[in-house]
Amino acid sequence: MKKILVTGSNGLVGQKLTDSILSQSNFYLIATSRGNNKHPIQKGYTYIDLDICDAESVKQVLKKYRPTAVIHTAAMTNVDSCETDQLACRTLNVDAVKNLAEVCQEIHCQLVHISTDFIFDGESGPYTELDKPNPLNFYGQTKLEAENLLVASSCHWVVLRTIIIYGIVKDISRKNIVLWAKNALEKGDTIQVVNDQWRMPTLAEDLAACCLLAIKHHAQGIYNASGKDMMSISELVEEVADFWHLDKSLILPISSNGLAQTAKRPKRTGFVLDKSMNNLGYRPHSFKEGLAILDSQLQQLNQPSTI
Ligand SMILES: NC(=O)c1ccc[n+]([C@@H]2O[C@H](COP(=O)([O-])OP(=O)(O)OC[C@H]3O[C@@H](n4cnc5c(N)ncnc54)[C@H](OP(=O)(O)O)[C@@H]3O)[C@@H](O)[C@H]2O)c1
């Protein structure tokens, strides 16, 4: 049986990974995150309160459990906070990865690391794995530094680059754009949404599946792992409105210059997915299919999308 250790298991991707790993009998899960376990299922696996920045504890836990693979999802993911608290961002997004890579190398364990489209400047998307990164903000810079240190390390690493992750889990600490837009439009709020940034939004379940495919195929190297549909952020929100029959007149398209965000964002990212589709068998859902999956989950949870 393969032992898989997940970092940041309380997060969106972390909780979806917990679901996927628990549904497969050939895996044993060691879920780790900061604080108490937020996943609704609390049995059938090991949960450890682990701060990924505590290098010594990380070392101890990995050496004790000796997992076959570590899936590293914990990160400082708020792009504007990364700009204003650069020390915290570097500690989490770079230093913690360096420590993990060193321990993984020592115990001969595969390290699956999640990276981002924000390593690119957005001038020539969609990007292949071979295109040259040029981050515009500190978050992207630290995620690229982490990639580069893995490339230079001798550990068995794989980097999965992804874009705007959406989905629903219980007790999520960070709202994603689909739930934010749905909730605001349901309340009748007008929302300003940029119409000059293009992305390929990713269903959290698809990324979780890709992590497990990377382990199954003993993948090494960089792989794109996003959704397959390119759209502007305002088109994305319009699709959300269409899907749930919400009032589209509440959506106010705006240019990036009009929305004074702390961190600069790339214009057009998006990924060419041929490598992960051909080599790993990655099959992402369309954005419409993703919304339908989310809708059925919301109905099952029988709770408003404000969580
Ligand atoms: N979200 C996106 O749109 C997006 C896009 C591209 C790439 N990515 C990358 O995808 C990965 C997963 O993102 P996500 O959306 O699942 O993020 P998320 O929902 O913010 O989850 C991250 C989890 O890590 C935990 N964490 C933070 N600091 C920690 C620490 N020091 N020690 C242990 N756990 C810690 C957080 O804890 P709390 O629950 O206490 O906050 C949270 O549960 C990240 O590497 C991110 O950079 C995300």
Side-chain angles (χ1 to χ4, degrees):
M1 184 179 279
K2 282 185 177 166
K3 277 192 268 182
I4 303 196
L5 187 144
V6 174
T7 72
S9 65
N10 282 334
L12 178 54
V13 179
Q15 290 208 38
K16 295 299 181 188
L17 275 166
T18 300
D19 292 335
S20 315
I21 296 169
L22 291 180
S23 71
Q24 301 193 28
S25 55
N26 52 336
F27 291 138
Y28 184 76
L29 170 66
I30 302 130
T32 75
S33 216
R34 207 170 38 182
N36 292 332
N37 187 3
K38 293 182 181 171
H39 197 279
I41 302 171
Q42 304 260 333
K43 284 186 182 155
Y45 64 102
T46 302
Y47 176 82
I48 302 164
D49 174 357
L50 180 67
D51 181 346
I52 199 72
C53 298
D54 179 347
E56 210 36 57
S57 299
V58 169
K59 211 173 274 180
Q60 274 174 18
V61 168
L62 260 71
K63 284 188 173 174
K64 178 174 176 193
Y65 289 94
R66 297 200 161 260
T68 322
V70 169
I71 305 177
H72 180 45
T73 79
M76 188 153 162
T77 52
N78 184 312
V79 178
D80 292 321
S81 303
C82 288
E83 210 67 27
T84 50
D85 193 352
Q86 299 196 348
L87 180 62
C89 175
R90 177 175 293 286
T91 306
L92 191 50
N93 291 358
V94 183
D95 300 347
V97 180
K98 185 166 187 286
N99 181 51
L100 261 184
E102 283 168 6
V103 191
C104 286
Q105 184 184 343
E106 208 179 319
I107 62 167
H108 306 293
C109 152
Q110 184 184 17
L111 176 57
V112 182
H113 176 72
I114 316 287
S115 193
T116 171
D117 56 332
F118 275 29
I119 61 163
F120 292 107
D121 59 19
E123 292 303 316
S124 54
Y127 294 96
T128 72
E129 289 82 355
L130 297 175
D131 286 321
K132 196 171 178 292
N134 180 32
L136 299 180
N137 54 46
F138 196 73
Y139 168 74
Q141 199 180 310
T142 57
K143 296 295 279 188
L144 179 60
E145 278 181 49
E147 285 195 11
N148 288 339
L149 75 85
L150 290 176
V151 171
S153 95
S154 316
C155 102
H156 179 189
W157 59 273
V158 57
V159 168
L160 302 181
R161 290 179 179 158
T162 195
I163 307 176
I164 302 187
I165 308 168
Y166 66 96
I168 189 159
V169 292
K170 256 191 117 90
D171 212 0
I172 198 170
S173 58
R174 226 164 68 83
K175 257 182 226 159
N176 52 74
I177 186 156
V178 170
L179 296 182
W180 167 77
K182 178 177 183 290
N183 181 42
L185 297 175
E186 278 170 349
K187 285 199 296 188
D189 294 345
T190 52
I191 48 175
Q192 290 188 324
V193 193
V194 289
N195 58 5
D196 57 358
Q197 291 177 28
W198 286 264
R199 303 284 184 262
M200 289 167 69
T202 310
L203 182 68
E205 279 84 349
D206 285 340
L207 180 58
C210 197
C211 291
L212 298 184
L213 286 168
I215 294 170
K216 181 180 161 199
H217 291 275
H218 307 283
Q220 169 104 27
I222 296 173
Y223 289 83
N224 289 337
S226 66
K228 60 182 177 184
D229 296 326
M230 176 81 94
M231 62 195 75
S232 70
I233 305 288
S234 57
E235 287 166 346
L236 183 162
V237 169
E238 280 169 19
E239 279 217 40
V240 169
D242 281 340
F243 185 87
W244 279 289
H245 309 293
L246 300 166
D247 183 359
K248 283 209 288 200
S249 70
L250 296 169
I251 303 167
L252 307 179
I254 184 173
S255 75
S256 303
N257 288 339
L259 200 70
Q261 288 176 303
T262 310
K264 207 171 168 198
R265 266 74 168 170
K267 192 172 171 189
R268 181 188 291 268
T269 64
F271 286 143
V272 175
L273 296 172
D274 294 356
K275 185 178 172 188
S276 52
M277 292 181 78
N278 294 336
N279 297 7
L280 304 179
Y282 176 55
R283 295 286 179 272
H285 290 86
S286 69
F287 188 57
K288 277 199 176 63
E289 288 166 344
L291 293 182
I293 289 171
L294 210 147
D295 185 53
S296 70
Q297 292 169 346
L298 280 168
Q299 287 178 26
Q300 276 171 22
L301 285 168
N302 193 23
Q303 54 189 13
S305 55
T306 49
I307 63 167

